[in-house]
Amino acid sequence: MKMMRPMMRKVAFGVPAVALSAALACTMAGCGGTEGGQGESGGNAPAGQTANSVQTAEVAGFTIESVGDGSYYRGAAERQDGFWLRVKITNNNESAKAPSAFSARAAVGTFDAGDAVFDASGDQRLNADTKTQAVELGEGAQMDANAKIEPGQSVEFIYFWTTKDNYYGPITVEFDSSSSSDSNPSVMHFDTTGRESDEYKTAREAAEAIEAQGGIDFPSYSIIPADGWKLGDRIDEKYEGCDFKHGDEAISSIDMRTFKTSPMMEAEARQGSKKKGVIDEVEINGVTWVRYTSEAGAVSLFVEAPSGKTVSMVIGSKVTWDDALLMAQNVVLK
């Protein structure tokens, strides 16, 4: 640990843990699923896509043609798919103009051009994705909406949107002039039903396998209960929190969650300004945890996961160290 203290002692327990499959450990910002899509009618669609008729929109002096669409995996941290749309944009204006001369807004469902949903906010509107785009899907495409296109010239452009709760179904994209005096919107319709990315399917199957064993799977860690333990009722997706019970006593528990601060900062926060209790390090399955033991003997463990978050394990006062160790050995960090 970078913040190692002279009075700390390190104790090793366990043997190297068996990691989850490489498929579950996919950590790319976007693994780039390309299932489904729009291609030339009767033409050669890219691998994994379905050849459909090209959809066309005319707006603000541009001709927009759909080239491809589908789901893409947003990465292990999100464990969600998004929606991508690749279009060919031709500038029919007499002067150079940028795609920012019109807007492209997407919504869940089947709508007509000009419907109110495109001017509203809320769950039905898709959100532009600027953080977890599948970069490889954008190869050869322009992604700067402010870059001008010369008259008579064409470029390929790609949009990324996020959907809520891995939505798969009808999606409508509206193209509308950014000028209020020249608003003549047009729409394209897509359907992502049954088109989950392969990476999302793999992550979901791995999570279901863990849940089938009574465990829990979060972006920063997963854990399967050891003998004598069972998953409790508290599930907090936001903070990756849960609890486990030992035996039939509700007070005999382990509480888990994640923090954005470092393991040492979390341990020192519990120690307080009066430095009560002891902070040391303990090695479990080859992983070094920061351990805080209060004056009353209660133990809390903290470790940094590859996701960058700190995973904490607060051990109930009625739980023995040996019983808690069995659970700590089952933690798989991601």
Side-chain angles (χ1 to χ4, degrees):
M1 299 286 293
K2 292 181 179 179
M3 300 181 68
M4 185 79 168
R5 297 179 177 226
M7 79 284 197
M8 284 177 143
R9 56 191 176 85
K10 181 186 286 188
V11 186
F13 293 94
V15 295
V18 178
L20 286 177
S21 67
L24 178 60
C26 174
T27 56
M28 295 176 63
C31 298
T34 56
E35 297 152 292
Q38 305 289 326
E40 293 290 348
S41 180
N44 295 322
Q49 294 185 356
T50 304
N52 293 319
S53 298
V54 172
Q55 297 185 61
T56 302
E58 301 285 345
V59 62
F62 293 90
T63 298
I64 308 165
E65 302 170 84
S66 61
V67 176
D69 72 277
S71 299
Y72 72 98
Y73 190 55
R74 297 177 60 205
E78 292 80 9
R79 295 192 306 180
Q80 292 182 334
D81 275 346
F83 174 70
W84 62 272
L85 173 62
R86 190 175 180 120
V87 295
K88 177 183 176 182
I89 303 175
T90 302
N91 183 8
N92 302 316
N93 295 280
E94 296 181 355
S95 60
K97 287 192 175 183
S100 57
F102 62 85
S103 63
R105 296 172 291 191
V108 171
T110 302
F111 299 99
D112 294 323
D115 279 357
V117 66
F118 297 111
D119 293 319
S121 60
D123 293 343
Q124 215 162 11
R125 278 281 300 275
L126 276 66
N127 297 313
D129 185 357
T130 59
K131 295 182 180 179
T132 57
Q133 300 170 352
V135 177
E136 60 271 35
L137 289 176
E139 291 180 1
Q142 179 175 304
M143 299 180 72
D144 180 3
N146 294 313
K148 291 185 176 181
I149 306 171
E150 294 298 321
Q153 298 297 307
S154 301
V155 301
E156 288 197 0
F157 198 91
I158 191 160
Y159 297 96
F160 295 92
W161 287 283
T162 60
T163 61
K164 183 180 180 181
D165 299 329
N166 290 303
Y167 168 85
Y168 303 99
I171 291 175
T172 304
V173 179
E174 181 192 66
F175 299 91
D176 194 5
S177 171
S178 294
S179 171
S180 58
S181 62
D182 184 30
S183 180
N184 186 23
S186 183
V187 297
M188 295 181 186
H189 297 108
F190 305 92
D191 192 357
T192 60
T193 301
R195 289 163 59 185
E196 298 92 332
S197 70
D198 289 341
E199 294 82 2
Y200 171 68
K201 289 179 183 177
T202 299
R204 183 184 61 193
E205 289 169 1
E208 289 173 350
I210 291 171
E211 291 169 4
Q213 299 179 70
I216 195 78
D217 180 60
F218 285 122
S220 298
Y221 72 94
S222 66
I223 180 171
I224 295 171
D227 289 343
W229 288 89
K230 61 182 178 182
L231 182 65
D233 297 327
R234 185 180 69 87
I235 306 294
D236 185 339
E237 296 285 347
K238 181 177 180 180
Y239 295 104
E240 302 180 59
C242 63
D243 69 305
F244 289 89
K245 307 297 183 184
H246 186 257
D248 296 326
E249 296 184 50
I251 197 171
S252 299
S253 65
I254 282 178
D255 287 302
M256 300 190 66
R257 62 161 290 177
T258 59
F259 295 92
K260 293 182 178 180
T261 47
S262 70
M264 183 57 69
M265 289 181 67
E266 286 300 323
E268 289 178 338
R270 283 154 180 76
Q271 193 178 43
S273 59
K274 295 183 179 180
K275 304 299 180 183
K276 294 183 178 180
V278 177
I279 296 176
D280 64 0
E281 288 184 336
V282 58
E283 189 174 295
I284 303 173
N285 286 353
V287 177
T288 301
W289 295 66
V290 174
R291 178 171 59 181
Y292 168 67
T293 305
S294 71
E295 289 182 311
V299 175
S300 298
L301 297 172
F302 308 94
V303 66
E304 184 175 351
S307 68
K309 291 185 178 180
T310 290
V311 176
S312 75
M313 176 180 281
V314 178
I315 302 168
S317 59
K318 298 295 184 179
V319 179
T320 68
W321 172 250
D322 287 341
D323 285 334
L325 182 59
L326 293 175
M327 287 294 287
Q329 289 173 338
N330 281 3
V331 175
V332 177
L333 301 172
K334 299 187 292 180

